[in-house]
Amino acid sequence: MIVPTRNEARNLEVVLPAVAAVRPAVYEVIVVDGDSKDGTVETARRVLPGVRIVRQTRKGKGNAMACGFAAATGDAIVMFDADGSADPQEIPRFVAALVEGADFAKGSRFTKGGGSDDITLLRKGGNAGLNLIANTLFGTRYSDLCYGYNAFWADILPLLELPAVDMPPHPDGGMYWGDGFEIETVLNCRVAAAGLSITEVPSVEKERMFGETNLRTFADGTRVLRTLAAERRRAGRDDRSAAPGTAVPGPAAVVPPAGHPAVPATPATAPVPPAVPDRAVPAAQPQRPAPRPHADAPAPQRPQQQPSRPAPQPQPGAGQPAPQQPAPSPVAREQRPVGAERDGSARPERTGVRYAWGEEAS
């Protein structure tokens, strides 16, 4: 579980013990700190002695998340806010969606069983409009684009092509595209563009416990719009680069909206650089597992406390409806042609999103 923080000491006093009480137990909690001045790191270690602390390498929520992703050793990664708005008791729902076959479990406040104690009428209306635009551009059926409570399998990280955590800060003092608050929209767009299996999980958002929110309704809404436009251009470029008979190039630099520095291109084979912890990891710390084999190869053994990813299940035959069941039931992941593992060229015309109560959007 990845928890980005900046001056969240009072909230962590409550949030981390609540996380520790979740059953089945959370395998690993990583607090990524952005130069807090209120004793956030010391508080985290005091209230949850087994916590791992990682110092983010640049500024911005996106960079904090990327540092946490790079440091994670578990198979499943959960994105969790430190302000008390997310309910730790919902974590098993997200993990269950992954175990049932989803590549990406997306929290939603506006699906059956979800809700929010914090969102205003203006923000709710803006979110609905942004959902419509995103679904039109990417062929999705998202019900809540602007929500950061998500979970996914660690082996999809190469498809997301986030800015490398070991790059130096931008010389102009700005942020690389993907380092800022646009990270959640970027992830939603890239998961859809890659044709991955998505399950929406109902979630209830609470009010922030302490401190003030950094959300700015109009500025952030405009930023999300620009993000959608930039990611649509990126997805279109990747689709063209994977045309039959053409070589598949390495990841290209993202074309961000005006005013945002682009991320330098990196080789397709470049490993995910490790985040920089503020203390050495004990020798007993489990290592990141090897990449998962295809369905026709035996699955490696994992520690008991980690969720086990199932083999892909075939979709129902033509004319047969998907089975209705109360447990999360995402769309099965399809076999992708050569090159699609990197660039998402196998994305279908419409990316199916199933809901955790067993209904599929159409």
Side-chain angles (χ1 to χ4, degrees):
M1 188 176 82
I2 311 301
V3 186
T5 61
R6 190 169 188 270
N7 298 324
E8 297 284 4
R10 295 183 68 191
N11 289 323
L12 292 186
E13 291 267 7
V14 180
V15 169
L16 292 184
V19 169
V22 172
R23 295 293 181 272
V26 175
Y27 171 70
E28 177 181 59
V29 179
I30 299 176
V31 169
V32 186
D33 189 61
D35 195 26
S36 295
K37 306 299 184 184
D38 67 344
T40 290
V41 171
E42 294 76 13
T43 298
R45 287 177 173 158
R46 174 170 53 82
V47 300
L48 189 63
V51 70
R52 291 183 61 199
I53 304 296
V54 171
R55 306 286 186 175
Q56 70 177 98
T57 55
R58 294 186 296 276
K59 62 182 180 179
K61 184 177 182 180
N63 173 251
M65 284 295 186
C67 288
F69 298 160
T73 62
D75 284 359
I77 295 176
V78 178
M79 301 165 57
F80 195 87
D81 285 342
D83 61 5
S85 62
D87 184 358
Q89 294 300 320
E90 294 177 354
I91 292 174
R93 295 187 194 172
F94 287 85
V95 176
L98 297 179
V99 171
E100 288 294 326
D103 295 306
F104 190 83
K106 181 175 180 359
S108 175
R109 298 163 291 181
F110 306 120
T111 195
K112 183 178 179 181
S116 176
D117 299 328
D118 186 57
I119 197 167
T120 64
L121 185 61
L122 177 61
R123 285 170 51 205
K124 185 175 182 179
N127 191 51
L130 293 170
N131 282 338
L132 177 62
I133 295 171
N135 290 336
T136 301
L137 292 176
F138 291 92
T140 52
R141 291 289 186 268
Y142 289 140
S143 65
D144 192 358
L145 179 70
C146 305
Y147 192 45
Y149 199 172
N150 306 303
F152 56 88
W153 291 108
D155 63 4
I156 74 169
L157 278 170
L159 289 172
L160 304 180
E161 295 180 3
L162 299 177
V165 300
D166 61 349
M167 290 193 302
H170 197 275
D172 295 336
M175 288 188 290
Y176 293 111
W177 182 243
D179 271 2
F181 274 100
E182 71 275 4
I183 181 63
E184 288 149 5
T185 304
V186 166
L187 291 178
N188 291 331
C189 292
R190 295 187 183 181
V191 166
L196 300 179
S197 172
I198 305 165
T199 293
E200 285 200 329
V201 177
S203 177
V204 177
E205 178 187 37
K206 303 176 183 179
E207 292 183 353
R208 165 182 273 272
M209 291 188 295
F210 303 106
E212 296 183 0
T213 180
N214 292 317
L215 289 175
R216 300 167 299 167
T217 301
F218 292 103
D220 290 341
T222 302
R223 189 180 185 90
V224 171
L225 274 175
R226 295 163 69 190
T227 301
L228 291 173
E231 291 298 313
R232 180 59 263 179
R233 290 196 300 271
R234 175 187 185 275
R237 183 179 63 248
D238 282 352
D239 287 346
R240 290 191 299 272
S241 71
T246 62
V248 178
V254 176
V255 179
H260 292 271
V263 179
T266 56
T269 57
V272 178
V276 181
D278 70 335
R279 60 177 178 176
V281 178
Q285 181 68 37
Q287 300 298 308
R288 181 187 295 276
R292 299 178 178 278
H294 293 288
D296 57 354
Q301 296 297 316
R302 300 182 184 87
Q304 247 183 346
Q305 62 268 44
Q306 292 192 54
S308 175
R309 184 172 191 171
Q313 299 296 318
Q315 294 190 9
Q320 298 180 6
Q324 301 291 314
Q325 48 185 330
S329 51
V331 178
R333 186 174 182 176
E334 297 179 357
Q335 185 68 31
R336 293 189 287 274
V338 175
E341 288 293 340
R342 183 200 67 77
D343 58 27
S345 60
R347 176 170 51 85
E349 284 297 315
R350 312 294 289 181
T351 300
V353 177
R354 287 208 182 184
Y355 306 116
W357 65 89
E359 298 178 1
E360 182 178 7
S362 59

